[in-house]
Amino acid sequence: MSVARIQELFTEIDGMAYGSEERSRVDEAIALAIEIGDEELEYRARIRQTASANMLGDTETLLSSFAWCLAKHDEDPVRFPDEIGHEGAGLMWQFKWIATTLASSPIFGTDDISSALADMESHYRKAGIGQSGVLTSQFATAWRLGELERAEELRAQLVVTPRDDYSHCDACVRSDASGFLTEMGRDAEAIVLFDELIEGGYSCGDEPEAALSRALLPYLRAGRLDDARAAHFRSYNLARDNADNLSIIANHLIFCAVTGNEARGLSMLERHLSWFVHDQLNADGQFAGLLAAGVLLDAVTAAGFGEQTVRGAESRELQVLFGEHDGAWTAEELATAVWAAARRIGDQFDQRAGNDYRANRIQKAKELANERYPLKLSSETLGLVAPADATPTDAAGWLLRAQELTAIGWLPAAIPAARKAAELTTGKDRTTALGALIAGLVATGDLAAAQSALEERIPALREHGDDAQASLEELLGLALFGRGEEADFDALRVAVEVSGDLAPTQVADLELSLLGLTLRAEEPDLAAAHALAVRALGHAEEGDAVFARTNALRYLSDLSASMGEIEKSLEYVDAILAATENRGVAAHAHALRARIMGSTGQFEEGARSADAASECAHAIDALGPLHDTTVLAGRLYDEAEMFADSGSRFRLAVRYAERLEIDTVGARYALGRALVRSGETSEAIDLLIALYEEETAAEAAPGSRGETLYWLGHGFVAAGEPASAVGTWETATELYLESGDTQSAARTLAENASLHSANGSPEEAATLLEAAATHARATPDNLNLLVRVLHQQGRAQADVGNAEGLTTLDEVLALATEHDADWLHADVTDSKARSLASLGRAKEAVALALTAADAYRAAGDPLSAANTERFVGGVLAEEGRHDEAVTVLQSVIEQAANHEQLRALAAFELAESFDALGRTADAAAARATAEGANA
């Protein structure tokens, strides 16, 4: 049974991509072979293990597995042959990996490397294998050792050595040679090889991604910026999921640094930091990664963002490279540690080789700071991550900070600021600071501390002569500061009722306190609250109480908006902004205006107001409100279909969320969607793939994962990868159905059907739409979706010769009639006419199309009417009725005077009908008209 299972595992392994699942099957096969004592099966399993370890960057397993297999082969080549009858690399092919692997770590001496090369040459000669593979390994090891002259001699010798079954493939030969030529400064020669590899479509295990990454700097230096950009996106997408590709990622980090894309580079570095310690025996990859990280982090610092936090660099696993550090690393701090680690590893390599090759590479990497090739890759920016205001240095500054942060509601910072202000201020300023502190403590539920602060505030009020306020606070206590216990509401209500003898300022204070508690009820009486706010505003103005007046206006603006009194609410907002210098108050007012504008469909104006709120919040370092208003701006820009602006706001929101240490999934999803819609598809695909993987690992709700995949599918479509989009949308549909979201399932099936139809698969499209219609009918409340799916389904059914499509379209026509949707009725009538033509019923198609054209005109869409009549002309021409076609198409040309594309198409078709009628001169004139339209 175990033998059968091992053979089954071999079949599975040989059909799988390298990865964790494949590796687990290899390990199972080895364990079973050991269990039954079958060394021949174990040998075959370990040959596969060696290949897997090589591809996944598991150097320790690679070396131990190969050594075991080689010993068995030398012991009995018949039982343990070079080739084991599968499509993977045989033992002698794997020999090519060993010397270069030893050369990639300075813990192996040059004697170890030479011995491995000699052993390889001996085995090749004994087996009658040519020397191409040996020369390839000698070249690669000489290069890694920094013996560049020797490496060039071997490369030249390799070019003239006959190829054999153990030679590197065309992709690897070109990639390695071009990489070496690039390092030698021979970019023009390297580019020839890069172009051959790309144009020839050569590929291998880690090709073309390795070669494309090596081509980045040569392309930039040659001025081929578009080629460099395309190579970057393609290579990174191919390399981003395999930790053994650290050297490839390193090239992309440098590319981002020298092209001014520091933010994108930093995101990539953060994503791949764990790879730096993935394989401790691959010090060559570590060295390349460290050099690239140093170049990038220096560029980030030079751009003015040296204080930017590098997420993940504080990981305990990375301490072996960067050393211990208290808290998060900044870019500038990490740059110093990265360069130190590179020098330490480089020195180990150079001491082994007895040269200064790695030291020279460090110097060359440093010199890249002098190379700049501006090339926009995405809208990603490092953004504003620090507050605009400096930390206060005096009592007045701390008091202002406390007041502004309290006003905006950012209590984590407001409470410490108020405490500091209370320590530093005296007189009325101290009571003001204590008031802010008490309000903050009450809001956070720390009533004991609030009571203690109140006991400090009351005598302080008396000290500067405000006995009336002190007495009021003695009487009502924390009820005046929003405590909200059951007795507090009654106490405040009674106090307001008997407040006739109090000063207007105190009455306003009582009314505002009562108002706050009133609005916290489960079902507050908004009309009564509004009346109370009006009275509070009047008393505040009578007593010239600026703070109370502002608070009353804030309540009134909120209440008016809640009651649908939009214009009145905006008037109150304007009054607040005109009267206050408190940026916390202003931020609240701007944010309210933004929401009001959004609710009335004035999305762009609302987004600008949200930006203004963000500017205020940023200036005072109110991080929580800053995150919220930035998200608000992103959503409003999205509604305004200003997707680049939306993406930039969501990008900042992600950074703010990271500073807050809150979930970033929502902001990253919104960013990915905005990137898709703004055409930045490569970045969008990267982000959405990473987000989906994260959601899957966290077992997020299926509907959430489905939505991520829905937009990822759109990203693949925009990137010209329809096959990837199809598979992505299939999975998204499954997830939507798992969550019971038939509406989103129908929408996604319809999108997938459109893609199949556009790519010449009408039968698949019709099948998908049948399922989409079933799910759309399950959510009849979404009439737009139902109409869209049924309309699309009717056309698809007719396209594959199914006359039921006409019945489906009749159902949509009935819905259009029922809902007085005149344009929709015209559009579906047009579709039905085209469906009749697809079904071979030309006469009926012509008559119905002319009806549709009239309906389009009646609905105010003459261009669609002309397009429909052009269709009529085409049907008539196909039927041989060219005289009639000429009449119709001439009319279309007249109607399309201001639409060049339609005019040109109709004129070309008119020319064909003239030709069919033998009217060559007229045909020539029609073609001239068409060419003139295209000129």
Side-chain angles (χ1 to χ4, degrees):
M1 183 62 183
S2 294
V3 172
R5 174 57 182 159
I6 292 171
Q7 295 294 350
E8 180 184 327
L9 286 168
F10 286 166
T11 300
E12 292 177 6
I13 293 163
D14 295 345
M16 297 178 71
Y18 293 109
S20 58
E21 291 186 16
E22 171 262 351
R23 185 61 177 274
S24 68
R25 286 167 172 76
V26 171
D27 293 342
E28 182 184 348
I30 292 172
L32 288 173
I34 292 173
E35 181 181 319
I36 63 176
D38 192 323
E39 286 193 332
E40 292 179 32
L41 284 176
E42 182 182 355
Y43 176 83
R44 284 158 172 74
R46 289 192 183 276
I47 288 286
R48 290 171 169 86
Q49 182 185 55
T50 305
S52 179
N54 179 64
M55 292 303 298
L56 297 178
D58 183 357
T59 299
E60 185 175 354
T61 299
L62 164 66
L63 294 174
S64 62
S65 180
F66 177 81
W68 188 93
C69 291
L70 184 64
K72 291 298 178 185
H73 173 76
D74 288 346
E75 175 187 308
D76 190 340
V78 176
R79 287 183 63 203
F80 307 104
D82 170 18
E83 295 292 344
I84 60 173
H86 77 132
E87 295 183 1
L91 184 65
M92 291 300 106
W93 181 280
Q94 293 176 351
F95 226 135
K96 297 196 298 180
W97 303 334
I98 302 308
T100 51
T101 298
L102 297 177
S104 294
S105 176
I107 69 170
F108 300 108
T110 53
D111 289 345
D112 296 321
I113 300 168
S114 297
S115 176
L117 288 170
D119 198 17
M120 177 184 181
E121 184 175 1
S122 172
H123 276 84
Y124 272 42
R125 291 190 184 282
K126 184 177 179 179
I129 300 171
Q131 292 299 294
S132 175
V134 175
L135 286 169
T136 298
S137 291
Q138 290 174 340
F139 160 69
T141 53
W143 184 6
R144 281 171 172 74
L145 291 169
E147 299 171 355
L148 300 183
E149 291 185 4
R150 169 68 174 155
E152 172 57 17
E153 291 173 1
L154 288 165
R155 189 188 71 83
Q157 186 177 350
L158 189 58
V159 170
V160 298
T161 298
R163 291 178 57 78
D164 55 50
D165 290 342
Y166 291 81
S167 299
H168 266 16
C169 70
D170 289 330
C172 291
V173 167
R174 285 170 172 79
S175 181
D176 289 348
S178 58
F180 179 75
L181 291 169
T182 297
E183 184 168 335
M184 299 298 288
R186 295 157 64 180
D187 285 354
E189 296 173 69
I191 285 175
V192 171
L193 295 176
F194 291 135
D195 289 346
E196 286 180 2
L197 188 150
I198 296 166
E199 291 167 8
Y202 299 118
S203 63
C204 188
D206 60 357
E207 298 295 348
E209 51 265 39
L212 290 167
S213 76
R214 288 165 165 166
L216 295 173
L217 280 176
Y219 277 157
L220 290 175
R221 289 164 178 161
R224 293 174 56 175
L225 302 187
D226 288 342
D227 289 333
R229 188 180 193 279
H232 164 68
F233 284 119
R234 184 182 177 198
S235 171
Y236 182 68
N237 286 337
L238 290 169
R240 65 188 303 279
D241 294 325
N242 186 347
D244 193 41
N245 291 334
L246 178 57
S247 296
I248 297 175
I249 300 303
N251 293 331
H252 290 287
L253 297 180
I254 290 174
F255 177 73
C256 289
V258 301
T259 55
N261 292 279
E262 298 89 357
R264 177 173 172 80
L266 186 58
S267 294
M268 291 168 59
L269 174 62
E270 291 169 338
R271 188 179 303 139
H272 299 293
L273 270 173
S274 63
W275 291 12
F276 283 64
V277 289
H278 165 73
D279 183 0
Q280 292 289 359
L281 288 179
N282 183 14
D284 184 63
Q286 281 186 335
F287 181 75
L290 290 166
L291 290 189
V295 172
L296 174 70
L297 292 168
D298 280 353
V300 170
T301 302
F305 293 93
E307 295 302 310
Q308 177 86 37
T309 296
V310 183
R311 298 166 298 182
E314 72 282 0
S315 167
R316 181 173 300 173
E317 290 78 10
L318 291 168
Q319 288 181 3
V320 67
L321 284 179
F322 306 147
E324 295 186 4
H325 187 266
D326 185 17
W329 289 84
T330 67
E332 189 170 13
E333 291 170 339
L334 187 59
T336 300
V338 159
W339 286 117
R343 282 190 290 272
R344 183 174 65 252
I345 294 174
D347 287 346
Q348 294 170 358
F349 273 110
D350 286 347
Q351 287 170 12
R352 177 185 71 177
N355 58 30
D356 57 0
Y357 170 62
R358 303 281 170 161
N360 288 335
R361 282 185 60 183
I362 292 173
Q363 182 58 37
K364 287 181 179 179
K366 287 278 192 178
E367 291 170 359
L368 286 170
N370 300 319
E371 294 192 45
R372 296 292 285 180
Y373 309 93
L375 177 62
K376 183 177 176 61
L377 298 177
S378 73
S379 63
E380 192 165 3
T381 60
L382 289 167
L384 301 171
V385 295
D389 283 359
T391 301
T393 57
D394 57 18
W398 280 109
L399 179 58
L400 175 62
R401 173 161 290 193
Q403 290 175 312
E404 292 188 318
L405 290 170
T406 299
I408 204 172
W410 184 231
L411 300 179
I415 291 173
R419 279 203 175 99
K420 187 72 173 177
E423 292 173 7
L424 298 176
T425 52
T426 59
K428 289 186 177 181
D429 285 347
R430 182 165 181 266
T431 59
T432 300
L434 285 168
L437 176 59
I438 294 165
L441 291 169
V442 168
T444 58
D446 192 350
L447 298 182
Q451 183 62 41
S452 177
L454 179 61
E455 290 170 1
E456 286 186 55
R457 175 175 154 90
I458 290 172
L461 286 167
R462 297 192 188 282
E463 285 178 12
H464 61 74
D466 199 346
D467 290 326
Q469 185 65 27
S471 297
L472 191 63
E473 293 184 14
E474 276 182 330
L475 176 65
L476 295 171
L478 296 179
L480 278 171
F481 295 89
R483 180 172 56 192
E485 293 180 355
E486 186 173 344
D488 291 334
F489 180 85
D490 292 333
L492 286 170
R493 181 175 52 78
V494 171
V496 168
E497 290 174 355
V498 299
S499 62
D501 294 334
L502 296 177
T505 299
Q506 291 178 307
V507 177
D509 193 13
L510 286 170
E511 289 169 332
L512 289 170
S513 297
L514 178 59
L515 180 58
L517 296 189
T518 299
L519 291 172
R520 282 155 61 179
E522 288 186 11
E523 295 182 8
D525 184 338
L526 297 183
H530 186 273
L532 184 58
V534 170
R535 294 200 300 274
L537 176 61
H539 286 118
E541 290 177 340
E542 183 182 350
D544 197 23
V546 175
F547 181 72
R549 179 177 183 272
T550 300
N551 273 349
L553 287 169
R554 290 177 67 175
Y555 277 124
L556 284 167
S557 61
D558 283 335
L559 284 165
S560 296
S562 299
M563 297 165 67
E565 298 176 357
I566 301 303
E567 291 302 321
K568 196 64 178 175
S569 178
L570 291 174
E571 289 177 14
Y572 288 129
V573 169
D574 290 340
I576 293 170
L577 292 172
T580 189
E581 294 182 358
N582 183 307
R583 289 170 292 183
V585 172
H588 177 274
H590 284 304
L592 178 59
R593 178 188 290 280
R595 292 185 177 92
I596 292 172
M597 293 295 101
S599 70
T600 58
Q602 300 175 72
F603 301 119
E604 183 176 353
E605 186 176 346
R608 303 297 182 205
S609 292
D611 281 341
S614 296
E615 289 175 12
C616 294
H618 174 262
I620 60 177
D621 198 24
L623 189 56
L626 173 58
H627 168 268
D628 295 344
T629 55
T630 303
V631 169
L632 175 61
R635 289 174 177 164
L636 289 168
Y637 279 122
D638 184 78
E639 291 285 356
E641 299 187 357
M642 299 172 66
F643 301 121
D645 293 294
S646 174
S648 69
R649 302 317 185 272
F650 284 124
R651 197 187 301 283
L652 287 174
V654 171
R655 291 210 178 91
Y656 299 143
E658 289 166 349
R659 282 182 61 195
L660 288 164
E661 297 183 352
I662 62 176
D663 185 35
T664 64
V665 169
R668 282 185 290 145
Y669 161 74
L671 172 58
R673 185 178 65 179
L675 291 171
V676 169
R677 300 172 85 182
S678 64
E680 298 187 47
T681 53
S682 295
E683 185 184 356
I685 289 170
D686 285 352
L687 188 154
L688 291 170
I689 287 174
L691 182 58
Y692 176 69
E693 291 170 350
E694 183 180 318
E695 287 181 305
T696 301
E699 297 182 350
S704 175
R705 284 178 279 151
E707 196 69 8
T708 300
L709 290 181
Y710 174 78
W711 286 103
L712 177 59
H714 278 292
F716 282 133
V717 171
E721 300 180 39
S724 297
V726 165
T728 299
W729 278 337
E730 287 174 352
T731 305
T733 301
E734 293 170 3
L735 289 167
Y736 283 136
L737 292 175
E738 183 182 341
S739 70
D741 185 356
T742 54
Q743 178 173 300
S744 294
R747 175 192 62 177
T748 308
L749 285 162
E751 299 281 10
N752 215 346
S754 295
L755 190 58
H756 278 86
S757 181
N759 285 276
S761 301
E763 292 82 5
E764 289 85 349
T767 300
L768 289 167
L769 285 164
E770 183 177 355
T774 298
H775 297 310
R777 292 184 192 280
T779 52
D781 290 344
N782 190 337
L783 185 61
N784 288 334
L785 175 65
L786 180 61
V787 165
R788 175 196 166 189
V789 170
L790 292 178
H791 190 174
Q792 197 175 341
Q793 183 191 21
R795 286 295 307 274
Q797 287 172 320
D799 286 344
V800 295
N802 184 352
E804 289 182 11
L806 301 176
T807 303
T808 305
L809 292 172
D810 283 338
E811 183 179 351
V812 184
L813 286 171
L815 288 169
T817 300
E818 179 184 350
H819 294 278
D820 297 322
D822 294 339
W823 186 90
L824 175 62
H825 199 285
D827 197 47
V828 180
T829 302
D830 174 272
S831 293
K832 186 174 179 182
R834 294 171 190 267
S835 297
L836 285 166
S838 298
L839 294 167
R841 295 160 63 175
K843 185 176 180 179
E844 295 170 79
V846 167
L848 193 58
L850 292 173
T851 300
D854 290 339
Y856 273 133
R857 289 193 186 90
D861 188 356
L863 181 60
S864 292
N867 263 313
T868 300
E869 289 180 347
R870 177 182 159 240
F871 160 73
V872 170
V875 174
L876 292 170
E878 287 180 8
E879 292 292 301
R881 297 159 63 183
H882 291 288
D883 283 331
E884 296 171 78
V886 164
T887 301
V888 172
L889 291 170
Q890 285 176 329
S891 174
V892 172
I893 292 170
E894 291 175 5
Q895 296 174 63
N898 297 321
H899 301 279
E900 292 184 359
Q901 184 177 10
L902 176 58
R903 180 179 171 83
L905 291 170
F908 276 124
E909 292 164 1
L910 177 62
E912 291 177 359
S913 283
F914 277 138
D915 279 334
L917 294 168
R919 296 166 60 178
T920 54
D922 290 332
R927 288 193 177 89
T929 298
E931 291 164 0
N934 283 327

